[in-house]
Amino acid sequence: MTMPPQNPAPPRASTRKLAGLEHAMRITEEHTPFSVVAVLRLAGDLSPAALRRALDTLQQRHPLLRARILPAGKEYAFHFDAERPIALDVGERPPADGWIAVAQEEMQRRLDMTAGPLARCRYLAGPSGGDLIFTLHHTIADGVSGVHLFRELLALCAGQPLDEPPDRDEGQVPAAGLFPDDYTGLGYTLAAAGFMRRQMADEMAFRWGSIGVRKAPIAAAGRCCFLPIRFGAEITNALIQAGRRHRVTLNAILSAGMLMAVQRQLYPSPRVPLRHIVFADLRPRLRRDVPASALGCFLTMYRFTTTVEATRDFWSFAGDVQDSTMRAARSSERYMAYAMSPGMMKMLFRMKAFRMGATALSYTGPLTLPTDYGRFEVTGLHAFAGNMTLGPEYSALVRLFRGELWWDILYLDSDMDAAGAQRIAHEMQAILEGATC
Amino acid sequence: MLIELDDVRRTVGLVLGRHDPNADDRLVEDLGAESIDLLNIVVTLEEKYGVSIDEVAATGVSTVRDLYDLALKSPHAAKPSADPGRPA
């Protein structure tokens, strides 16, 4: 199955240095596979031949699907000249939740950074549908561009035309190259100094508050394990309505539920500072529009410490989580956290003395992927982002799909077993259900 | 209460602390709204007009005008009449 590229959309430059969070992700790849594994659950008839053709067309369309990453001095650069096609393995669909084990295997298997492409596909075909497992390196996709890519892939599989031309600038400029004018030159230097000051203050507060509190273990190795759960339409709607009454966003509500559950299950102290990570899309806040159709990772992450108290009222705590997120968003943090993440990752791996956080949550809102493609339909979408033993203990990607909240929880087997992860999930659901009463 | 585009514009301006935003201004890109601001705008419009705005649709809103259109489509929305002589 070779794919000689026919008239591929040419990138304007043949190489481009990685920057900010992209660079941090590539540094992480030195220690652990850092991919995003997405699983499209399909009902109906999708032929492997149609999938092969669609993957080839996609690869011609997207320079980042023809990218590989090579060292460039002490840094790394994308080279848009990977020659191999996107690998497609076709196998038999395992029964029930058998896709979870296969997707976990995919997370463990590294993509070949130097040869590329930074994507591969596995299709588990059954008599009445299949599971399409797409592995992408995190440097080339995030929640927004990833979902758009799947939209294109499925449309091509169904023989539908794509409604947008390829983006000629895809892969050419990192988010850091599009920061608003306030965060360039002297503005950048001042913002970076402010960011460092806030980070140091947060570190001091965290260390002071953590005296006598359980310290998260740092294992030599750990395997990513997946736990997908769903909140039904009733609790989902109740959370949305309660959030409106209390003026708290769904992102903050879910983060608060996760933090409280982790505190109850992993940190027995009545009052414990925990570090939480949330993610935000930089696209709407850049100097020029970056369309969702352009592959790339335009994420940033906010990391903050919040004190979780066993007896605290849920809504007051969720309000605090929201305030912490908004403080970060309204300061320069969204840009500085992106730009300065390579330094943080280097320090993290050099010292191996602390973990990035206890929890991490990425709520991407309603899924914008059409589900009906004629001969087949999407019945579910799962996505998991890689983690490591210096990363958060409990993390999740969450989205709203068909009126329900789909949680894709990820934990490491060096931190807990499946029963332990399940206990935290149950605790979280109980906390959030209780909050709607 | 009748939903008017000018009134939605004023509400958005008040929540975001912006003077007289345009109907075609984008809430996030042009007016700098954060997620909590969007939530506050939706809840304010719900309370003001007695409508119920769907979460999925609200997330897809881009401009002030989109927000107005969404409020109009909501259950119990009192729509302005195309014919000023006809009751809405």
Side-chain angles (χ1 to χ4, degrees):
Chain A
M1 293 205 186
T2 56
M3 195 280 305
Q6 296 161 350
N7 304 319
R12 286 189 284 119
S14 57
T15 69
R16 194 266 282 169
K17 272 194 181 171
L18 272 66
L21 201 58
E22 291 172 341
H23 187 191
M25 288 169 169
R26 179 61 187 86
I27 292 168
T28 306
E29 179 72 30
E30 289 168 17
H31 302 267
T32 192
F34 203 63
S35 304
V36 176
V37 176
V39 182
L40 289 153
R41 309 215 69 204
L42 305 172
D45 178 24
L46 168 61
S47 79
L51 180 55
R52 177 69 265 168
R53 283 194 298 274
L55 287 171
D56 292 347
T57 306
L58 268 192
Q59 196 176 21
Q60 290 178 33
R61 186 177 168 85
H62 289 282
L64 279 172
L65 290 179
R66 303 192 303 276
R68 56 199 183 112
I69 299 176
L70 297 176
K74 288 184 176 174
E75 299 175 47
Y76 294 97
F78 283 124
H79 290 243
F80 303 103
D81 60 356
E83 290 178 351
R84 295 182 191 164
I86 297 170
L88 170 62
D89 288 333
V90 180
E92 199 172 311
R93 188 183 211 182
D97 286 337
W99 64 268
I100 297 174
V102 183
Q104 284 179 179
E105 274 171 33
E106 286 299 304
M107 184 64 90
Q108 299 306 124
R109 275 179 60 213
R110 282 180 192 277
L111 289 154
D112 188 338
M113 295 284 108
T114 56
L118 306 175
R120 65 167 177 262
C121 192
R122 204 159 160 182
Y123 184 46
L124 308 175
S128 58
D131 296 316
L132 205 164
I133 303 177
F134 211 115
T135 305
L136 291 154
H137 199 259
H138 214 331
T139 48
I140 66 163
D142 57 20
V144 172
S145 57
V147 167
H148 200 279
L149 183 74
F150 301 144
R151 172 197 286 248
E152 290 184 353
L153 175 69
L154 295 173
L156 288 169
C157 286
Q160 297 168 1
L162 301 182
D163 45 12
E164 287 171 85
D167 185 84
R168 270 183 46 77
D169 291 324
E170 179 180 300
Q172 296 290 304
V173 186
L178 299 171
F179 281 0
D181 292 341
D182 287 353
Y183 300 104
T184 58
L186 179 63
Y188 177 88
T189 309
L190 293 173
F195 176 74
M196 292 302 289
R197 234 184 1 258
R198 285 192 299 277
Q199 288 289 302
M200 282 169 67
D202 186 76
E203 182 69 31
M204 298 288 279
F206 177 73
R207 287 193 183 195
W208 181 254
S210 300
I211 295 170
V213 171
R214 168 189 176 262
K215 199 169 176 221
I218 300 175
R223 188 184 160 89
C224 291
C225 300
F226 300 165
L227 172 62
I229 62 166
R230 256 195 266 175
F231 283 6
E234 198 176 331
I235 174 179
T236 299
N237 191 46
L239 282 171
I240 291 167
Q241 296 311 321
R244 290 187 182 183
R245 279 197 305 278
H246 292 272
R247 307 259 176 152
V248 178
T249 63
L250 207 43
N251 198 344
I253 294 170
L254 306 181
S255 289
M258 178 184 264
L259 277 158
M260 283 182 126
V262 164
Q263 184 269 328
R264 288 184 192 177
Q265 291 292 324
L266 299 183
Y267 292 83
S269 312
R271 190 172 191 280
V272 53
L274 294 181
R275 277 194 167 138
H276 182 59
I277 300 169
V278 289
F279 299 86
D281 181 16
L282 280 173
R283 282 178 191 77
R285 325 264 176 185
L286 296 175
R287 218 168 40 229
R288 71 165 163 73
D289 288 347
V290 177
S293 58
L295 270 181
C297 185
F298 289 87
L299 278 183
T300 189
M301 61 177 184
Y302 307 136
R303 189 175 74 121
F304 54 85
T305 301
T306 185
T307 300
V308 190
E309 290 169 87
T311 54
R312 179 114 185 247
D313 165 68
F314 175 82
W315 288 105
S316 144
F317 178 60
D320 275 3
V321 171
Q322 176 164 278
D323 289 347
S324 298
T325 312
M326 286 305 124
R327 258 198 308 278
R330 290 195 163 115
S331 67
S332 55
E333 191 140 333
R334 72 171 90 242
Y335 303 109
M336 292 306 110
Y338 173 92
M340 302 187 78
S341 53
M344 192 186 91
M345 295 314 290
K346 283 179 187 167
M347 186 171 71
L348 189 73
F349 288 118
R350 198 170 48 239
M351 294 172 67
K352 294 191 174 157
F354 62 95
R355 293 181 68 152
M356 289 174 70
T359 50
L361 186 130
S362 174
Y363 173 63
T364 51
L367 181 65
T368 53
L369 185 71
T371 54
D372 187 0
Y373 294 87
R375 293 172 67 88
F376 62 89
E377 67 166 321
V378 179
T379 58
L381 171 73
H382 297 275
F384 304 86
N387 194 12
M388 49 165 175
T389 55
L390 295 167
E393 291 175 89
Y394 204 74
S395 60
L397 304 187
V398 190
R399 70 204 65 85
L400 195 55
F401 181 54
R402 292 182 167 165
E404 298 183 325
L405 280 167
W406 288 50
W407 294 73
D408 289 325
I409 295 164
L410 186 143
Y411 61 96
L412 297 166
D413 63 358
S414 51
D415 284 328
M416 62 190 80
D417 58 15
Q422 193 71 256
R423 270 196 300 278
I424 296 175
H426 285 149
E427 185 83 60
M428 204 161 61
Q429 180 150 6
I431 290 166
L432 292 171
E433 275 176 349
T436 62
C437 296
Chain B
M1 185 176 172
L2 205 64
I3 304 174
E4 301 279 4
L5 179 58
D6 277 348
D7 198 39
V8 172
R9 273 198 316 114
R10 272 193 296 277
T11 303
V12 169
L14 279 173
V15 173
L16 297 180
R18 294 281 189 143
H19 178 67
D20 202 22
N22 290 317
D24 295 318
D25 280 346
R26 294 173 299 175
L27 295 161
V28 178
E29 292 89 339
D30 301 326
L31 301 175
E34 300 288 351
S35 52
I36 183 62
D37 301 321
L38 299 174
L39 175 69
N40 280 330
I41 291 169
V42 166
V43 175
T44 305
L45 293 178
E46 284 190 332
E47 289 171 352
K48 196 167 186 179
Y49 300 120
V51 295
S52 167
I53 297 178
D54 173 65
E55 176 76 7
V56 174
T59 313
V61 158
S62 172
T63 65
V64 178
R65 192 185 300 279
D66 292 343
L67 197 61
Y68 164 72
D69 290 341
L70 181 61
L72 278 185
K73 282 185 206 150
S74 304
H76 318 300
K79 300 167 180 63
S81 168
D83 172 3
R86 203 178 66 193

